[in-house]
Amino acid sequence: HLILFLLFVGPFNCFASYSRATELFYSLNEGLPAGVLIGSLARDLRLPTADGQHPLALQPPLSFTLASRGLGDQYVRLDNRSGELHTSALEIDREALCVESSEATIIGGAAAASSSSSPSPESCLLLLDVLVLPQEYFRLVKVKIAIRDVNDNAPRFPVPHIHLSVPENAPVNTRLAIEHPAFDPDMGTNGVQTYRLRDNYGVFTLDVEENESGERTPYLIVMGALDREVREEYVTVIVAEDGGTPPLVGSATLTIGISDINDNCPQFNDSQLNVTVYGNSTLGTHVATVHATDMDLGSNAQITYSYSQKVSQASRDLFRLDESTGVITLSSKVDGDSPRLHRLIILGNGPGCIPAVITVLVTIIKVMMRPPEVVPRFIANEVEGVVYLKELEPINTPIAFFTIKDPDEKYKVNCYLDGDGPFRLSPYKPYNNEYLLETTKPLDYETQQLYEISVVAWNSEGFHVNKIIKVQVLDDNDNSPVFSQQLIELSIEENNVPNAFLTKLHATDADSGERGEVSYFLGPDAPSYFSLDKTTGVLTVSTQLDREEKEKYRYTVKAIDSGYPPRESIATVAITVLDKNDNSPRFINKDFSFFVPENFPGFGEIGVISVTDADAGQNGWVALSVVNGSDIFVIDTGKGVLRAKVSLDREQQSSYVLWIEAVDGGDPALSSTAKITILLLDINDNPPLVLFPQSNMSYLLVLPSTLPGSPITEVYAVDKDTGMNAVIAYSIIGRRGPRPESFRIDPKTGNITLEESLMRNDYGLYRLLVKVSDHGYPEPLHSTVMVNLFVNDTVSNESYIESLLRKEPDINIEEKQPQISIEPAHKKVESASCMPTLVALSIISLGSITLVTGMGIYICLRKGKKRHRTDENLEVQIPLNGRISLHMLEKKPMEISNI
């Protein structure tokens, strides 16, 4: 829309806009965080402001807008009102964005920016086009932001192992380029600057050459003599270091191989060799073997053997020399004209070397008679003189027949068997000169695989002939695999990682080939989550083991060979799962409640806190402690017995809430808590407390005109106990006065009322001894108070009344208990005895209802007439003893609620 707006602006304005194009240059480091100020366009363009204030103060205000949306917008944030450029949340990586340093590339950046005249040639640039509005300040600003390199990349070699070959005859100061130099994406001094060897062995060093493009290539320089026959390889580490602060390094393994040159010639160990050959030797008889050595490698160490030109043609014809192996054999028959001594001069030839020389002196011994002949006929399988027998062949297995004879038929020929082994050579009758070779006991491949025996024939003249026979024992699957341990005891901690390694089973089989190849299998009693690699014998467990679920595993494993039929052996694996502290102590209940009678003796047993820990050993040892209330309660760590240090009083506190912590002995320790509620059961340890009257010396004036049934006063008491122990009953147990039975007390409320009308002769002091008793169990408690009533029209002589009160009253104590109806709890009465009682109670109830109804009507009719007289009576309900504190008469709500 902005471009369309500009297209419709007048042509003169367009010319003005193009003429006011401006360039700004900034530079900043790569890798800076978001929100860093790059520059202020308004300030750097020196745009006009209102009274020198901020550009926003202009009317209309300046507006800055990016003219195009490109890659650079991702890395900067332009404030449209203030014109400030900041870095964005996308971090700038110069090496990732500027692939080629020779040309400017769009990237993003931020830093404490500084303006510069122009970017350097290797700059990595961020290009932005910014439009400044409104029209009167319009201009197109081209912003170039150069991204400065920081040393955030270490040199890196393209390959981890570099191989370099140096000839062993390389002279000192030979330079060899290392073809895999390190690369550092940073620029300038932050790039690779130097190379060094971690170990130069005293014969190498490094140098660095820089080409025209600034690339640095390391060169290996030889500083000492090399000899491949002494050491054929040097392994070191090449380190590349950049020029940053601090410098960063990269490394690779450099293997320097010393290549061989032909600097050694063949050599014989001996200069002369003496051998003897019988004149009757057959063609191909081995005469001697010459052997030369060359310290070089490959083709440089290749040796050929040849006769010297000094060797006669006759000797050459009689003895053949293998030019590759140096083996000399008899190549033609020795006759009577052959020389008795042959001097064979043999040359060991190497490439570019003077031949090595050895002399072989061959002496020929002339034989006048022919030796005996040994002719074998094999029964067992024989190939090129080797007889093959299976192990465990039965005794007396025949191997071969041998025919022994004298070619001249002049001499007697005998034979015998020479060599060790379970073999026997015996005459085969009834034939002469026939011998049978057979076994004397079963062969065992595992004991010995190859036997070499000789059948020796000799005649009466002492000539011997040997026929060598090799017996190769063939293996049979006669051995079962054998475990290194029949009982494999293992241990592993619980909560192991899946597929955890347990052990590697190992069984050996003395048989050879596939008969000795052992495979491993789990027995049928092994749990499914154990795995055994059949090839390697690695035993693993695929799941986590839990000691608390199962502590010991015991199952069998098999080792089976690959013979036919296969043989197997069995071993037992016993795994013990070791405990880890993975279980917190566990209370049998999260909330415990104990009911304890108050005044329970100190350190008495309140209750037992039961806690368990599924772990074993020290991990399962549990210590208990009281988290709160430790000044009153203690707990026996071993038995879990909760005790109170002092006797508890319910009237001071009726319940306690404790938190018990159980901590195990693991490292780190685990813990859990439980809530303990202790409820104190009330016992009757508090007698009722009389609050009114406050003194036995107080008295109350009663007018003679008081009507019967009128309340006179009350006895008010409280009991700190609860339940039945706090139910209070009031009774008059002693009376004194002119007509003491004129007053009665309500056993429930303690209200004292006038029973009968007072006459003139009833005037005087009445003293009522009131017993206030609770219903505690097993023994009720009580208190007494003296209620003094003075019947008279007025009080004319208070001192006289007080003197009467000071005298000890002569009162007879009545043992009559107060009658308060309290509902019995679960009283069992037989149905036969209940019926008369129910009938009587019904009649009494009906009469009571009739009486109460009549009295109610009578009282309502007289209430209006006696209202003024009631007002007069109210004035005399207050005790006449002026020393009584009125605020003590107030009934405390808390104490009343206890009742």
Side-chain angles (χ1 to χ4, degrees):
H1 293 89
L2 180 61
I3 295 174
L4 292 175
F5 169 77
L6 295 175
L7 290 175
F8 285 95
V9 176
F12 297 104
N13 291 334
C14 292
F15 284 115
S17 299
Y18 283 111
S19 65
R20 297 171 67 181
T22 309
E23 285 191 354
L24 288 178
F25 299 99
Y26 299 102
S27 63
L28 65 156
N29 293 340
E30 63 173 324
L32 293 174
V36 178
L37 177 64
I38 301 174
S40 175
L41 301 185
R43 183 189 63 223
D44 296 335
L45 293 174
R46 295 182 176 84
L47 294 175
T49 60
D51 300 329
Q53 300 300 318
H54 194 274
L56 294 179
L58 292 175
Q59 293 299 329
L62 292 176
S63 174
F64 300 87
T65 308
L66 290 173
S68 60
R69 296 293 177 181
L71 181 62
D73 301 346
Q74 303 175 19
Y75 302 99
V76 297
R77 180 172 51 82
L78 175 62
D79 191 308
N80 294 336
R81 303 297 301 276
S82 65
E84 291 183 348
L85 275 173
H86 294 83
T87 56
S88 68
L90 184 60
E91 186 179 286
I92 299 173
D93 184 2
R94 185 184 187 281
E95 290 72 33
L97 296 175
C98 295
V99 181
E100 307 219 352
S101 61
S102 59
E103 60 178 275
T105 308
I106 295 180
I107 64 170
S114 61
S115 298
S116 62
S117 59
S118 62
S120 59
E122 68 275 11
S123 291
C124 182
L125 297 180
L126 170 64
L127 304 180
L128 302 172
D129 289 341
V130 179
L131 295 177
V132 181
L133 294 174
Q135 183 64 27
E136 54 268 28
Y137 302 108
F138 171 76
R139 65 180 68 191
L140 175 64
V141 182
K142 291 189 173 292
V143 179
K144 295 182 180 180
I145 303 174
I147 309 304
R148 292 193 296 264
D149 183 47
V150 296
N151 190 28
D152 57 347
N153 292 279
R156 183 170 56 87
F157 286 90
V159 292
H161 299 280
I162 301 174
H163 296 272
L164 191 64
S165 180
V166 180
E168 63 178 327
N169 64 343
V172 175
N173 294 327
T174 299
R175 300 170 66 87
L176 296 99
I178 297 176
E179 298 180 354
H180 301 285
F183 170 72
D184 192 328
D186 294 324
M187 298 295 298
T189 57
N190 291 333
V192 178
Q193 299 296 316
T194 60
Y195 292 86
R196 67 175 185 275
L197 294 177
R198 200 166 282 177
D199 186 0
N200 57 18
Y201 298 97
V203 293
F204 300 105
T205 188
L206 287 179
D207 189 18
V208 179
E209 291 186 5
E210 185 175 354
N211 57 19
E212 296 179 355
S213 61
E215 296 179 354
R216 295 174 181 266
T217 302
Y219 281 80
L220 181 70
I221 302 177
V222 179
M223 301 298 293
L226 303 176
D227 188 351
R228 189 207 63 79
E229 287 71 35
V230 175
R231 184 165 187 167
E232 62 181 1
E233 186 179 76
Y234 297 86
V235 179
T236 184
V237 175
I238 181 172
V239 179
E241 183 176 306
D242 63 22
T245 305
L248 303 177
V249 298
S251 62
T253 301
L254 176 62
T255 302
I256 305 171
I258 308 303
S259 60
D260 184 54
I261 64 169
N262 192 24
D263 57 348
N264 292 279
C265 290
Q267 290 183 352
F268 288 105
N269 292 332
D270 301 311
S271 60
Q272 183 172 309
L273 189 63
N274 298 319
V275 295
T276 300
V277 176
Y278 288 100
N280 61 351
S281 298
T282 60
L283 297 180
T285 299
H286 178 269
V287 178
T289 300
V290 295
H291 180 69
T293 57
D294 192 323
M295 298 297 293
D296 293 325
L297 290 176
S299 61
N300 294 330
Q302 190 172 7
I303 301 174
T304 60
Y305 303 93
S306 63
Y307 286 125
S308 170
Q309 294 181 357
K310 297 179 181 181
V311 178
S312 65
Q313 188 63 40
S315 297
R316 293 172 183 263
D317 295 338
L318 186 60
F319 301 101
R320 177 182 177 274
L321 173 64
D322 190 304
E323 64 176 9
S324 299
T325 63
V327 175
I328 302 173
T329 57
L330 188 64
S331 60
S332 64
K333 189 174 181 179
V334 179
D335 54 24
D337 298 332
S338 298
R340 296 291 178 265
L341 181 65
H342 294 266
R343 187 181 184 90
L344 305 178
I345 301 174
I346 299 174
L347 305 178
N349 305 298
C353 290
I354 299 174
V357 179
I358 187 173
T359 301
V360 179
L361 294 179
V362 182
T363 301
I364 298 178
I365 299 176
K366 187 175 181 181
V367 180
M368 300 304 296
M369 61 180 67
R370 291 186 293 175
E373 293 181 356
V374 178
V375 181
R377 287 170 293 167
F378 292 98
I379 302 173
N381 184 28
E382 180 266 341
V383 177
E384 296 182 356
V386 179
V387 177
Y388 294 92
L389 290 178
K390 289 184 178 181
E391 65 174 333
L392 303 181
E393 288 281 2
I395 301 176
N396 301 327
T397 297
I399 299 175
F401 279 112
F402 289 90
T403 301
I404 309 299
K405 62 182 179 178
D406 180 17
D408 299 326
E409 298 182 353
K410 296 180 180 179
Y411 306 99
K412 181 179 179 181
V413 180
N414 295 313
C415 73
Y416 67 92
L417 187 64
D418 185 23
D420 297 329
F423 305 102
R424 177 176 58 210
L425 183 67
S426 58
Y428 190 75
K429 296 179 179 182
Y431 304 102
N432 294 325
N433 298 330
E434 294 287 343
Y435 294 85
L436 176 64
L437 179 64
E438 58 187 354
T439 61
T440 59
K441 63 180 181 179
L443 303 177
D444 187 359
Y445 175 85
E446 289 71 37
T447 302
Q448 187 170 345
Q449 294 87 37
L450 181 65
Y451 296 90
E452 189 171 309
I453 55 179
S454 298
V455 176
V456 181
W458 83 98
N459 59 17
S460 57
E461 295 298 321
F463 283 96
H464 293 74
V465 174
N466 292 347
K467 182 63 177 179
I468 299 175
I469 300 173
K470 293 181 179 180
V471 178
Q472 176 68 53
V473 181
L474 300 178
D475 188 29
D476 203 353
N477 193 31
D478 60 336
N479 290 279
S480 299
V482 178
F483 281 100
S484 56
Q485 295 174 284
Q486 285 301 311
L487 177 61
I488 304 163
E489 296 181 314
L490 308 173
S491 62
I492 183 175
E493 280 193 342
E494 63 176 331
N495 303 331
N496 55 282
V497 297
N499 300 316
F501 172 82
L502 294 176
T503 188
K504 184 176 182 179
L505 303 181
H506 181 66
T508 57
D509 193 317
D511 295 324
S512 64
E514 65 178 9
R515 291 172 292 275
E517 295 177 0
V518 179
S519 299
Y520 303 91
F521 300 92
L522 291 172
D525 54 344
S528 60
Y529 39 83
F530 289 95
S531 300
L532 180 60
D533 189 289
K534 64 177 295 186
T535 303
T536 64
V538 173
L539 180 64
T540 57
V541 56
S542 61
T543 185
Q544 283 190 347
L545 299 180
D546 187 356
R547 189 204 66 82
E548 290 72 36
E549 181 178 337
K550 189 171 183 180
E551 183 176 7
K552 293 185 180 295
Y553 295 86
R554 191 179 183 94
Y555 53 87
T556 57
V557 291
K558 296 181 181 179
I560 304 177
D561 62 23
S562 301
Y564 183 80
R567 301 174 70 96
E568 68 177 42
S569 62
I570 296 176
T572 301
V573 175
I575 301 175
T576 301
V577 182
L578 303 179
D579 185 55
K580 289 183 71 175
N581 193 27
D582 59 342
N583 289 278
S584 300
R586 185 174 181 180
F587 291 93
I588 60 172
N589 295 313
K590 295 303 291 182
D591 295 315
F592 291 84
S593 296
F594 297 108
F595 295 88
V596 181
E598 64 174 330
N599 302 329
F600 193 70
F603 292 98
E605 181 178 322
I606 294 176
V608 178
I609 311 299
S610 298
V611 61
T612 60
D613 194 314
D615 294 321
Q618 185 173 350
N619 294 332
W621 180 85
V622 179
L624 297 174
S625 62
V626 181
V627 177
N628 61 329
S630 59
D631 56 336
I632 299 178
F633 297 94
V634 294
I635 191 166
D636 187 336
T637 295
K639 299 180 179 179
V641 177
L642 181 65
R643 307 176 189 271
K645 298 179 183 178
V646 297
S647 179
L648 304 177
D649 187 357
R650 190 205 63 79
E651 285 71 39
Q652 292 183 0
Q653 186 170 341
S654 61
S655 65
Y656 295 86
V657 176
L658 305 179
W659 289 95
I660 303 297
E661 182 181 35
V663 181
D664 62 23
D667 185 18
L670 301 177
S671 64
S672 62
T673 57
K675 180 182 178 182
I676 311 297
T677 303
I678 302 173
L679 300 173
L680 297 182
L681 301 177
D682 184 51
I683 63 174
N684 194 27
D685 59 345
N686 290 280
L689 176 63
V690 178
L691 300 180
F692 185 84
Q694 295 177 333
S695 171
N696 289 334
M697 300 298 292
S698 63
Y699 64 93
L700 182 69
L701 177 64
V702 180
L703 297 178
S705 59
T706 304
L707 294 177
S710 299
I712 303 301
T713 185
E714 69 173 341
V715 177
Y716 178 65
V718 295
D719 195 317
K720 294 182 180 180
D721 295 322
T722 60
M724 295 301 297
N725 295 332
V727 175
I728 297 175
Y730 302 87
S731 62
I732 299 175
I733 62 173
R735 303 170 185 263
R736 185 180 180 126
R739 192 156 53 99
E741 65 275 5
S742 300
F743 300 95
R744 67 174 298 273
I745 190 168
D746 189 304
K748 292 184 179 179
T749 64
N751 292 331
I752 297 176
T753 58
L754 181 63
E755 286 290 297
E756 300 174 359
S757 299
L758 297 175
M759 305 301 177
R760 171 60 63 178
N761 56 355
D762 294 334
Y763 286 24
L765 179 62
Y766 291 78
R767 308 198 73 177
L768 306 178
L769 181 60
V770 178
K771 179 181 179 181
V772 183
S773 176
D774 61 23
H775 285 70
Y777 179 85
E779 184 69 28
L781 300 180
H782 69 275
S783 300
T784 58
V785 66
M786 187 69 72
V787 179
N788 301 304
L789 303 175
F790 185 64
V791 178
N792 200 7
D793 292 326
T794 60
V795 178
S796 59
N797 190 353
E798 292 186 8
S799 60
Y800 169 72
I801 299 175
E802 292 175 0
S803 65
L804 293 177
L805 294 175
R806 281 193 292 270
K807 293 180 181 180
E808 185 68 28
D810 184 12
I811 300 178
N812 294 325
I813 304 300
E814 302 174 4
E815 294 301 327
K816 184 179 179 180
Q817 295 295 328
Q819 301 297 320
I820 300 179
S821 60
I822 301 174
E823 294 182 2
H826 307 290
K827 196 169 184 180
K828 297 181 180 179
V829 181
E830 295 183 0
S831 60
S833 62
C834 287
M835 188 59 67
T837 304
L838 291 175
V839 173
L841 289 176
S842 299
I843 296 172
I844 294 172
S845 298
L846 183 59
S848 299
I849 293 172
T850 305
L851 179 60
V852 170
T853 304
M855 291 183 64
I857 295 172
Y858 174 76
I859 292 172
C860 289
L861 293 175
R862 292 183 58 86
K863 188 174 182 181
K865 298 180 180 180
K866 300 299 181 179
R867 183 176 303 275
H868 64 282
R869 297 181 63 182
T870 304
D871 295 339
E872 294 176 358
N873 289 335
L874 289 177
E875 297 177 359
V876 297
Q877 298 304 313
I878 301 176
L880 299 180
N881 188 350
R883 292 174 294 177
I884 296 177
S885 177
L886 294 179
H887 73 273
M888 293 297 292
L889 301 178
E890 296 178 359
K891 301 178 183 179
K892 299 179 180 179
M894 183 180 297
E895 296 173 347
I896 294 173
S897 64
N898 287 337
I899 298 173

